[in-house]
Amino acid sequence: MRVLGIETSCDETGVAIFDSKEGLLAHALHSQVELHASYGGVVPELASRDHVRKVLPLIQQLFHDAGVEASSLDGVAYTAGPGLVGALLVGASVGRSLAWSWGIPAVGVHHMEGHLLAPMLENEPPPFPFVAMLVSGGHTQLVEVARFGHYQLLGESLDDAAGEAFDKTAKLLGLPYPGGPELAKLAEQGDPSRYRFPRPMTNRPGLDFSFSGLKTFALNTLQEAEKQEGGVISQQTRADIARAFEEAVVDTLLIKCRRAVRQTNIKTLVLAGGVSANRRLRQRIDEMMNKEGGAAYYPRPEFCTDNGAMIAYAGCQRLLAGEAEALRFSVQPRWPMDALVIDD
Ligand code: KG4
Ligand code: ZN
């Protein structure tokens, strides 16, 4: 089964071709970072319009790179949610229409299921069952994955997602959008012992998260430092605050992952979503899983953030399981993952 995947849920246009026998044949990505940078965040209407401009040329480039003809495809998968509604509608309408014109089935994919399955594209994919921590700009979730299509939500953020907290704190520190990777870079020069940020919701039971307080803590720390340093804080102080913030997020995520692994007695942990590209997080999670006698799995860094490959992969599995949309499409800006049961 050979599937074209289309991802347009936010600010990246991603396309890919996955073949269930031959693996990933090609993928291409157009990032809108420059388009949104001067606004300090994603402008939904600009995102939709840019997807409209880029998605078809990117698909043409993909066929060219893969040396593949459209006639060899067996299906089309597009991200149907969650995400920005206008952006989702671009990928969904293009995906559904192409599938109709080629006379092949189409399937709508859940963006977070795509992230969750992204490590399956690696040479050593994680074995089922596993615990997955999805850490992106819009979601922070712990999910028990029994097998493909069987997901149980164990816990999630009650307010900001981890990536959102990275982005908002980066903005406070005067870093350009998208802030997460920039903050991580700055933190590398920071002294971890100068400031200590709280580890929210770690000293009570449960697997939920809350990250909105950390950004307020960062603001207060920044304002206090500004007072002490006469109005303009030094580069070192900014790096120290970035480091303390990153340590707090990493520690909090690690504590909840360890709790989930112990609670479920599943010793395979998958990290996915944009924040799982964070080097410090990977290093600390690897150490923790070693101690627990298990192992952690991640997508390659370029497949941690949004991409078409994960949608092509997840769509291929859904089509193989017999799913397909009728001759219509819909998108769901909000979409709980528990609703994704595969009948077997
Ligand atoms: O999965 P993703 O590309 O998009 C969503 O589905 O949200 O995740 C993007 C998020 C952004 O908040 C970005 O700042 C964060 O992932 N991110 C990082 C790193 N790389 C991306 N956060 C911390 N450290 C990184 N290295
Ligand atoms: Zn994403």
Side-chain angles (χ1 to χ4, degrees), residues 26-331:
H27 66 99
L29 189 85
H30 169 74
S31 169
Q32 300 180 353
V33 162
E34 277 175 31
L35 179 69
H36 301 291
S38 59
Y39 301 94
V42 179
V43 183
E45 182 58 23
L46 293 183
S48 313
R49 292 178 192 201
D50 201 53
H51 288 306
V52 170
R53 275 191 292 269
K54 297 290 162 36
V55 67
L56 284 172
L58 208 59
I59 290 171
Q60 271 170 335
Q61 181 198 323
L62 181 78
F63 283 136
H64 180 263
D65 292 352
V68 156
E69 298 287 330
S71 57
S72 72
L73 291 176
D74 302 299
V76 179
Y78 54 84
T79 305
L84 302 171
V85 67
L88 289 167
L89 281 168
V90 177
S93 53
V94 166
R96 190 69 200 81
S97 310
L98 286 176
W100 175 78
S101 68
W102 294 330
I104 53 178
V107 69
V109 169
H110 193 292
H111 181 78
M112 299 314 289
E113 182 180 45
H115 274 304
L116 187 150
L117 296 174
M120 295 299 188
L121 291 162
E122 301 307 317
N123 287 336
E124 280 187 42
F128 292 119
F130 57 75
V131 170
M133 185 174 70
L134 303 174
V135 268
S136 72
H139 294 81
T140 305
Q141 296 181 324
L142 274 163
V143 183
E144 183 175 336
V145 179
R147 57 189 187 282
F148 171 70
H150 291 259
Y151 312 119
Q152 192 193 341
L153 187 66
L154 301 173
E156 64 183 335
S157 180
L158 304 178
D159 42 56
D160 291 356
E164 191 179 356
F166 262 97
D167 294 340
K168 287 179 176 170
T169 304
K171 211 170 185 177
L172 290 175
L173 289 168
L175 297 168
Y177 158 85
E182 294 286 333
L183 189 149
K185 223 185 289 165
L186 181 63
E188 281 174 20
Q189 288 129 44
D191 170 2
S193 62
R194 177 151 169 216
Y195 297 107
R196 186 175 164 85
F197 279 45
R199 274 64 173 153
M201 295 184 67
T202 51
N203 50 15
R204 59 172 118 150
L207 294 170
D208 287 335
F209 305 86
S210 165
F211 287 110
S212 67
L214 278 184
K215 129 204 112 199
T216 314
F217 198 91
L219 178 64
N220 293 339
T221 310
L222 199 66
Q223 287 174 339
E224 193 56 38
E226 271 170 356
K227 257 189 251 159
Q228 281 170 3
E229 296 182 18
V232 185
I233 59 166
S234 68
Q235 180 67 4
Q236 189 57 51
T237 298
R238 288 170 70 239
D240 294 344
I241 293 174
R243 183 68 195 267
F245 169 83
E246 187 183 53
E247 285 300 317
V249 175
V250 167
D251 242 3
T252 305
L253 294 174
L254 180 145
I255 290 166
K256 294 293 164 94
C257 281
R258 186 171 55 207
R259 207 176 273 175
V261 162
R262 289 182 180 171
Q263 183 181 306
T264 56
N265 203 24
I266 295 174
K267 299 222 182 280
T268 305
L269 178 68
V270 160
L271 256 63
V275 182
S276 70
N278 185 279
R279 296 218 321 251
R280 182 81 184 131
L281 177 65
R282 286 179 175 226
Q283 179 197 356
R284 294 280 315 281
I285 290 281
D286 282 339
E287 287 165 10
M288 183 274 284
M289 285 308 290
N290 260 339
K291 276 197 201 139
E292 296 294 309
Y297 294 77
Y298 315 86
R300 72 194 79 166
E302 65 180 322
F303 292 164
C304 286
T305 45
D306 293 348
N307 64 85
M310 65 185 194
I311 302 304
Y313 178 83
C316 183
Q317 303 312 309
R318 293 217 156 248
L319 289 163
L320 284 171
E323 271 188 27
E325 312 287 335
L327 269 185
R328 58 175 174 76
F329 65 87
S330 62
V331 297

